[in-house]
């Protein structure tokens, strides 16, 4: 399974259009200031969730996910979505997108045509915490945009279900044009089966055949990028044993020059410092939740000079001190 998501470049454009500061969002999320300037924006599940929580916080708009997910311009769709619009109907389009997601990110799109309804839900396979509400809204709004583009109509879902209770149900119902409920087992959007199998007006077999090679090439590229990042991360984690491994040590272990490794990481939308931080973050969570290590011992193993440095880094990652995170985790595990 690939472990990274590719953040669409259109997200930064939409944030700007809605007058939301990307710099403030990235700062709140604890992500690199130049994230949206990178040629390929790759983030982990934790980073993706942090990004969307930051968007919620900076915007102070409970409907921000819906506004970011609505797309009225076909040219802004990702090539994979353009290919999906070239298929026969919504069922086929979501099957196409599900394969794309399964092969390129730790995310699963589950769709089912069952009797009079067609359901679509999104699952975050490496998630530890509940997904941000804005991210769920974004996925549903984007799915509805795709369905409306494909059918050429203003179709509405028949029902939208949220796991979390929502305070603004009536506003959500006006947006989706259907009943919205909270406290469900899964975050799911439902369409009438007749709408889901209605022929797409955007159906274009020739265009799909033209895009297919590009689609397969991007899948291969995603795998190569994520495989290299994972290779570097494993090398870093293996050497996080009481000191902070330098880029020279890691590049030597991978039989390449530091310059070559930096270039390949940059082309993959990452950097050595980012991978090091992510590896330390992952190992910190492991040490705090799966061992009886003291905080100063965990700090030493992660290559921090002292517990205070570790505490500041952990607070930047999780928003709370390591001692508080450990206590909360233990309580949630016990329940």
């Amino acid at each position: 399974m690939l472990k990274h998501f590719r953040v669409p470049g259109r997200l930064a454009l939409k944030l700007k259009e809605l007058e939301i500061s990307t710099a403030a969002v990235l700062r709140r999320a604890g992500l690199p200031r130049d994230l949206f300037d990178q040629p390929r924006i790759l983030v982990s599940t934790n980073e993706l969730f942090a990004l969307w929580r930051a968007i919620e916080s900076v915007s102070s708009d409970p409907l921000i996910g819906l506004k970011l997910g609505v797309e009225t311009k076909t040219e802004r769709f990702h090539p994979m979505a353009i290919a999906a619009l070239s298929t026969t109907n919504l069922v086929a389009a979501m099957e196409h997108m599900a394969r794309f997601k399964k092969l390129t990110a730790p995310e699963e799109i589950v769709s089912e045509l069952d009797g009079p309804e067609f359901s679509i839900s999104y699952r975050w396979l490496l998630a530890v915490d509940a997904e941000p509400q804005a991210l769920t809204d974004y996925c549903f709004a984007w799915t509805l945009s795709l369905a409306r583009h494909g059918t050429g109509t203003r179709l509405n879902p028949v029902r939208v279900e949220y796991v979390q209770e929502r305070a603004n149900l009536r506003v959500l119902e006006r947006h989706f044009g259907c009943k919205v409920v909270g406290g469900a087992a899964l975050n799911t959007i439902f369409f009438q089966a007749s709408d889901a199998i209605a022929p797409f007006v955007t159906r274009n077999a020739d265009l799909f055949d033209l895009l297919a090679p590009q689609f397969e090439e991007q899948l291969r590229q995603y795998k190569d990028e994520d495989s290299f990042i994972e290779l570097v991360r494993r090398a870093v984690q293996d050497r996080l044993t009481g000191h902070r491994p330098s880029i020279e040590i890691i590049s030597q272990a991978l039989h390449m020059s530091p310059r070559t490794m930096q270039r390949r990481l940059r082309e993959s939308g990452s950097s050595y410092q980012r991978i090091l931080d992510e590896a330390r973050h992952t190992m910190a969570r492991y040490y705090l939740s799966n061992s009886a290590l003291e905080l100063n011992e965990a700090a030493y193993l992660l290559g921090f000079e002292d517990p205070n440095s570790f505490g500041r880094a952990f607070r930047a990652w999780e928003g709370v001190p390591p001692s508080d995170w450990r206590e909360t985790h233990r309580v949630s595990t016990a329940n």
Side-chain angles (χ1 to χ4, degrees), residues 224-241:
D224 290 347
E225 289 170 355
D226 206 88
S227 296
F228 181 68
I229 291 176
E230 188 61 26
L231 182 67
V232 176
R233 182 184 296 104
R234 284 200 301 268
V236 170
Q237 289 181 338
D238 290 345
R239 290 160 182 79
L240 268 177
T241 53

Side-chain angles (χ1 to χ4, degrees), residues 60-82:
S60 299
D61 183 350
L63 300 180
I64 187 61
L66 297 177
K67 294 176 181 178
L68 290 169
V70 171
E71 187 53 77
T72 59
K73 300 178 180 178
T74 305
E75 62 270 20
R76 286 189 181 176
F77 277 110
H78 187 280
M80 297 304 111
I82 297 294

Side-chain angles (χ1 to χ4, degrees), residues 47 86 290:
E47 290 171 332
S86 301
N290 295 284

Side-chain angles (χ1 to χ4, degrees), residues 14-15 17-21 25 28 51-70 132-138 162 166-168 171-172 174-175:
K14 295 278 283 189
L15 288 171
E17 290 176 349
L18 293 173
E19 299 183 348
I20 299 172
S21 169
V25 167
R28 181 67 61 88
L51 176 63
W52 279 96
R53 291 192 185 99
I55 290 173
E56 291 176 340
S57 177
V58 172
S59 70
S60 299
D61 183 350
L63 300 180
I64 187 61
L66 297 177
K67 294 176 181 178
L68 290 169
V70 171
Q133 291 184 356
L135 178 56
T136 307
D137 288 349
Y138 174 84
Y162 288 100
R166 302 296 293 265
N168 52 348
V171 178
L172 291 170
R174 284 197 296 271
H175 176 86

Side-chain angles (χ1 to χ4, degrees), residues 40-245:
R40 297 179 180 89
I41 309 170
L42 300 179
V43 297
S44 66
T45 301
N46 287 338
E47 290 171 332
L48 180 72
F49 282 16
L51 176 63
W52 279 96
R53 291 192 185 99
I55 290 173
E56 291 176 340
S57 177
V58 172
S59 70
S60 299
D61 183 350
L63 300 180
I64 187 61
L66 297 177
K67 294 176 181 178
L68 290 169
V70 171
E71 187 53 77
T72 59
K73 300 178 180 178
T74 305
E75 62 270 20
R76 286 189 181 176
F77 277 110
H78 187 280
M80 297 304 111
I82 297 294
L85 287 170
S86 301
T87 60
T88 54
N89 52 39
L90 183 59
V91 174
M94 297 314 299
E95 288 175 350
H96 167 81
M97 293 302 301
R99 177 174 180 266
F100 170 66
K101 286 295 184 181
K102 183 178 181 180
L103 296 178
T104 60
E107 177 187 357
E108 185 178 34
I109 299 177
V110 181
S111 61
E112 182 179 9
L113 188 62
D114 184 16
E117 294 183 338
F118 177 61
S119 63
I120 304 168
S121 58
Y122 294 80
R123 297 177 183 173
W124 314 95
L125 303 179
L126 298 181
V128 176
D129 304 314
E131 66 197 74
Q133 291 184 356
L135 178 56
T136 307
D137 288 349
Y138 174 84
C139 291
F140 286 170
W142 184 90
T143 300
L144 182 55
S145 292
L146 183 77
R148 287 176 172 174
H149 273 273
T151 60
T153 68
R154 291 285 300 175
L155 71 84
N156 293 325
V158 292
R159 187 170 69 261
V160 173
E161 295 183 352
Y162 288 100
V163 172
Q164 301 178 40
E165 296 290 350
R166 302 296 293 265
N168 52 348
L169 287 181
R170 296 297 172 264
V171 178
L172 291 170
E173 287 180 342
R174 284 197 296 271
H175 176 86
F176 288 113
C178 68
K179 182 176 180 58
V180 176
V181 299
L186 291 172
N187 292 311
T188 310
I189 184 169
F190 296 83
F191 292 89
Q192 289 184 5
S194 56
D195 288 334
I197 61 176
F200 269 5
V201 297
T202 54
R203 179 182 180 181
N204 190 326
D206 291 337
L207 178 58
F208 186 85
D209 290 342
L210 183 65
L211 291 172
Q214 178 184 348
F215 171 63
E216 296 301 330
E217 172 60 23
Q218 289 204 10
L219 291 179
R220 184 199 63 75
Q221 186 181 74
Y222 279 28
K223 291 178 183 178
D224 290 347
E225 289 170 355
D226 206 88
S227 296
F228 181 68
I229 291 176
E230 188 61 26
L231 182 67
V232 176
R233 182 184 296 104
R234 284 200 301 268
V236 170
Q237 289 181 338
D238 290 345
R239 290 160 182 79
L240 268 177
T241 53
H243 69 281
R244 176 185 176 186

